[in-house]
Amino acid sequence: MKFIKRVWQWFWSPSKRWALGALLLAGFIIGVITVFASHKTLEWTNSEGFCTSCHTMQFNQAEYTGTVHDVSKTGVRATCSQCHVPEQGLDLMIRKAQAANDVYQHFIGKTIDTREKLEERRGLLAMREWTRMKKSDSAGCRSCHTEMNMDLSNQNLRARTGHTLAKNENKTCIDCHKGIAHELPANWMELEKQLNLNFAK
């Protein structure tokens, strides 16, 4: 007990010789805890359970259920974060900030808290995702669908022709594959034209 008391007193009133060591040790411990907590928070907020915890996202999950990204012949399944969240770096932090705004809009702004409000904003939300995907060269798609592993000879004529053309014209996945996991907005063709015009500038 005396030892613990001495250590406690030393820690809170260190001599000039040990003050820096105590500060470095405390800083290291706080740093480790912060890194661990940050990692766990990112892991938790990337989970499908977290993504669908508000009922607006449950509408999106209902659209996704039964699609090829939910159920496939090979048993491979894409989760929300695999498509919508970059894996690391600054892009990940920017996406998390945008997602925080979505949470705000649901619970406080009340702009997407009902099915009707979600439908009103579907075009805007879709355009935002399509733009993000085009800017990243469809990185979310390519994390599973690597072009290098595509066997064009094993694809049907339509897919083979489309993928060859897309490669020759430097197109990205989202240019052709909109609406494969979520419903398209009613005015999706107009939005697609606008998207192409934005990237043609």
Side-chain angles (χ1 to χ4, degrees), residues 21-22 33 62 93 119 138 163:
I33 291 169
M93 304 305 359
E119 289 305 326
S138 300
H163 286 141

Side-chain angles (χ1 to χ4, degrees), residues 64-78 144-145:
Y64 160 81
T65 302
T67 66
V68 71
H69 285 99
D70 177 38
V71 182
S72 71
K73 296 174 188 174
T74 58
V76 176
R77 186 175 184 273
C144 293
H145 303 281

Side-chain angles (χ1 to χ4, degrees), residues 165-188:
L165 189 64
K167 186 174 182 179
N168 293 340
E169 294 182 358
N170 291 321
K171 289 191 173 184
T172 190
C173 311
I174 199 63
D175 286 320
C176 302
H177 297 284
K178 296 177 182 74
I180 53 172
H182 299 291
E183 292 174 13
L184 286 166
N187 62 335
W188 72 270

